[in-house]
């Protein structure tokens, strides 16, 4: 792992696009990868940065469509975070996903670039999504093994206590909110060896419990507003990212 990087390219899905962390314009998001680029620039003066992530993308789409573009930019740091959308689908095979990721990490490392991976968050507290916990854990275990084989770095979200707090999440419960993305960026910077403030690892004070009636109403609203539309898109073979392109497709300079 080098001490500084000149060109950082992020690939992935909605997590890396930054959904849940509003940007300056409508339907534009900032997110942890943008924030990480800023931390890198602050630490070393500047960095060239591109973000090719698009919401809704499956792992194969990220690796087939985004990764070649990323490598064409001759980066020395690439973050690859994908597979979560696959794991939400019935019948997902975490072993097959890991085989694809293994090949991708090996390809990037063969260029001399460093690779940042990230485990998924433990979904044990999220209704319905919690049913994917077993295959998500299997995929995460593969990611650690892939990182060891190829000398990559892993951002451990599964073991993060603070990320289990509902106040870190957007109303859809699938995406981090601004505070969640801020902390994730700091955690990523720390695992890359940057000196950053360590408040990201401190859990919030426990929230007051909601009355049962409010909890039931919130669950019903969540299912109606987010789960039903998600299932509808799956039935129609649609994705939230249909027709979308990368928000930052070209390397641009970020200054500290």
């Amino acid at each position: 792992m080098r001490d500084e990087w000149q060109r950082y390219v992020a690939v992935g899905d909605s997590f890396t696009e930054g959904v849940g962390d509003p940007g300056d314009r409508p339907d534009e998001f900032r997110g942890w990868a943008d924030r990480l680029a800023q931390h890198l620039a602050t630490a070393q003066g500047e960095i060239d940065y591109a973000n090719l992530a698009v919401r809704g993308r499956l792992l194969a789409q990220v690796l087939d469509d985004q990764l070649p573009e990323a490598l064409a930019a001759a980066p020395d740091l690439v973050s690859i975070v994908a597979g979560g959308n696959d794991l939400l689908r019935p019948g997902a095979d975490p072993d097959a996903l890991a085989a694809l990721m293994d090949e991708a990490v090996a390809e990037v490392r063969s260029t001399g670039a460093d690779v940042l991976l990230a485990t998924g968050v433990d979904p044990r507290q999220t209704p319905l999504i919690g049913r994917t916990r077993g295959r998500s854990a299997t995929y995460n275990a593969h990611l650690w093994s892939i990182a060891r084989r190829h000398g990559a770095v892993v951002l451990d979200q599964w073991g993060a206590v603070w990320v289990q707090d509902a106040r870190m999440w957007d109303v859809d419960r699938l995406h981090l909110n601004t505070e969640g993305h801020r902390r994730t960026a700091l955690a990523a910077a720390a695992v890359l060896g940057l000196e950053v403030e360590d408040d990201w690892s401190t859990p919030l004070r426990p929230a007051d419990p909601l009355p049962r009636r409010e909890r039931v109403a919130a669950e019903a609203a969540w299912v109606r507003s987010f789960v039903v539309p998600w299932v509808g898109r799956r039935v129609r073979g649609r994705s939230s990212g249909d027709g979308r392109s990368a928000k930052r497709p070209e390397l641009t300079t970020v200054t500290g």
Side-chain angles (χ1 to χ4, degrees):
M1 185 68 61
R2 67 195 74 204
D3 294 329
E4 64 178 48
W5 296 269
Q6 303 301 317
R7 293 174 299 280
Y8 165 39
V9 181
V11 301
D13 50 30
S14 57
F15 174 60
T16 300
E17 184 186 344
V19 174
D21 182 14
D24 296 329
R25 291 178 289 186
D27 202 30
E28 182 182 274
F29 298 94
R30 189 179 183 190
W32 73 271
D34 289 17
R35 293 173 179 273
L36 173 59
Q38 187 64 64
H39 289 308
L40 291 167
T42 299
Q44 57 194 43
E46 66 178 30
I47 191 170
D48 291 334
Y49 167 61
N51 188 323
L52 307 181
V54 178
R55 68 193 72 174
R57 294 298 190 258
L58 302 175
L59 177 61
Q61 294 173 316
V62 170
L63 301 183
D64 291 344
D65 301 336
Q66 298 176 20
L67 191 57
E69 291 187 32
L71 294 180
D76 46 25
L77 175 63
V78 180
S79 60
I80 312 174
V81 186
N85 290 321
D86 300 78
L87 293 168
L88 288 173
R89 300 187 174 208
D93 183 349
D95 299 322
L97 294 173
L100 293 176
M101 182 65 85
D102 185 79
E103 293 179 3
V105 173
E107 180 181 8
V108 178
R109 292 291 291 137
S110 71
T111 69
D114 291 318
V115 175
L116 172 64
L117 304 174
T119 69
V121 174
D122 186 346
R124 68 182 185 273
Q125 297 191 54
T126 308
L128 300 179
I129 299 174
R131 296 180 181 180
T132 69
R133 192 182 189 215
R135 55 179 178 262
S136 296
T138 300
Y139 183 58
N140 285 345
H142 278 302
L143 292 178
W144 285 106
S145 297
I146 290 168
R148 283 194 296 270
R149 276 196 296 275
H150 301 296
V153 175
V154 181
L155 170 61
D156 180 16
Q157 298 189 103
W158 187 274
V161 176
W162 61 267
V163 82
Q164 292 294 333
D165 193 312
R167 290 168 291 180
M168 297 293 173
W169 293 85
D170 199 11
V171 291
D172 64 4
R173 304 186 189 177
L174 286 172
H175 301 102
L176 294 170
N177 59 21
T178 293
E179 177 62 8
H181 278 283
R182 183 190 75 84
R183 288 178 178 237
T184 299
L186 288 167
V191 81
L192 287 172
L194 275 65
E195 293 186 6
V196 293
E197 57 269 33
D198 59 4
D199 69 312
W200 60 268
S201 62
T202 305
L204 298 177
R205 287 191 173 188
D208 294 331
L210 290 174
R212 183 177 183 279
R213 176 182 295 181
E214 291 186 29
R215 292 201 310 272
V216 171
E219 294 300 317
W222 176 67
V223 170
R224 184 171 58 252
S225 300
F226 300 103
V227 176
V228 172
W230 183 87
V231 172
R233 289 196 298 271
R234 297 287 79 74
V235 171
R236 298 192 303 272
R238 301 294 302 275
S239 166
S240 59
D242 288 347
R244 293 185 176 274
S245 56
K247 67 177 183 180
R248 195 168 183 148
E250 305 290 339
L251 285 172
T252 55
T253 301
V254 178
T255 58

